[in-house]
Amino acid sequence: MSENAPQSISLDDLPLSQLQSIKSQLESEISEMTSAFSQMKQAQSAFRECKNCITSMSETKDKTIMIPLSNSLYVPGKLSNIDSVVVDVGTGYYVEKSTKDAAKYYDGKIEYVQSNAQKVQETVEQKQTSYRGLLDVMQYKITQQRQGAKPAGVSA
């Protein structure tokens, strides 16, 4: 066996205090990953909204639309050029793209986030399975401790 191979330890061999520590760690990991999954779904929704805006731009050409100047301040305006858009590519960088290329860009982002969200969801499910197994072992150990703590003179 190689020295770098991970060793496995049976949960049955660990004391209840260590099992409680592992339980807390699993709860924390599940919570963090669930939060990350939620954020990925929100990002995916935002990318879909951007793509929908690009595809619906042709319907708004030369029509009056409300252009936001802030969260609560708008001015009327018209789209005169619907052939290109400026895309926020992250960290303060903006790139001008044709509407076709921008739609492809957002399709790629949606697909990328979807594949990562799927991986996170699978990991969360695995951790939840481990968590349930840990709870079973803890319940068994607690039951064993209670049975071992019966008063003397009681026979089974």
Side-chain angles (χ1 to χ4, degrees):
M1 182 183 271
S2 72
E3 294 179 24
N4 294 335
Q7 296 179 338
S8 67
I9 299 173
S10 172
L11 291 177
D12 294 330
D13 298 337
L14 296 176
L16 202 52
S17 61
Q18 281 186 315
L19 292 176
Q20 183 63 37
S21 175
I22 294 169
K23 177 182 175 244
S24 296
Q25 181 181 354
L26 276 173
E27 287 172 340
S28 175
E29 289 174 2
I30 290 170
S31 175
E32 289 171 12
M33 295 187 95
T34 302
S35 175
F37 179 79
S38 177
Q39 290 172 353
M40 287 178 179
K41 286 300 190 181
Q42 288 175 351
Q44 189 177 34
S45 178
F47 292 141
R48 279 195 178 111
E49 179 64 25
C50 289
K51 179 159 185 242
N52 290 340
C53 287
I54 291 169
T55 57
S56 67
M57 273 184 14
S58 63
E59 300 167 10
T60 58
K61 183 175 180 172
D62 295 325
K63 291 183 182 176
T64 301
I65 60 171
M66 299 305 288
I67 301 170
L69 297 178
S70 71
N71 287 340
S72 59
L73 182 62
Y74 299 85
V75 294
K78 291 184 181 186
L79 293 177
S80 61
N81 177 6
I82 61 168
D83 297 326
S84 66
V85 292
V86 177
V87 177
D88 180 353
V89 293
T91 61
Y93 290 97
Y94 298 88
V95 176
E96 186 171 348
K97 292 181 176 280
S98 69
T99 53
K100 183 179 176 182
D101 287 344
K104 285 181 187 176
Y105 171 80
Y106 285 116
D107 282 337
K109 290 295 239 180
I110 292 166
E111 188 176 312
Y112 176 76
V113 171
Q114 176 63 36
S115 69
N116 283 333
Q118 182 66 34
K119 290 175 188 172
V120 169
Q121 183 178 12
E122 290 169 2
T123 304
V124 167
E125 289 170 1
Q126 290 171 352
K127 289 198 178 282
Q128 287 173 334
T129 300
S130 298
Y131 181 77
R132 286 189 294 273
L134 177 68
L135 290 179
D136 290 344
V137 170
M138 288 178 71
Q139 185 63 41
Y140 174 77
K141 283 190 171 266
I142 290 170
T143 303
Q144 291 297 337
Q145 283 181 352
R146 287 185 182 151
Q147 288 177 351
K150 284 186 178 177
V154 174
S155 61

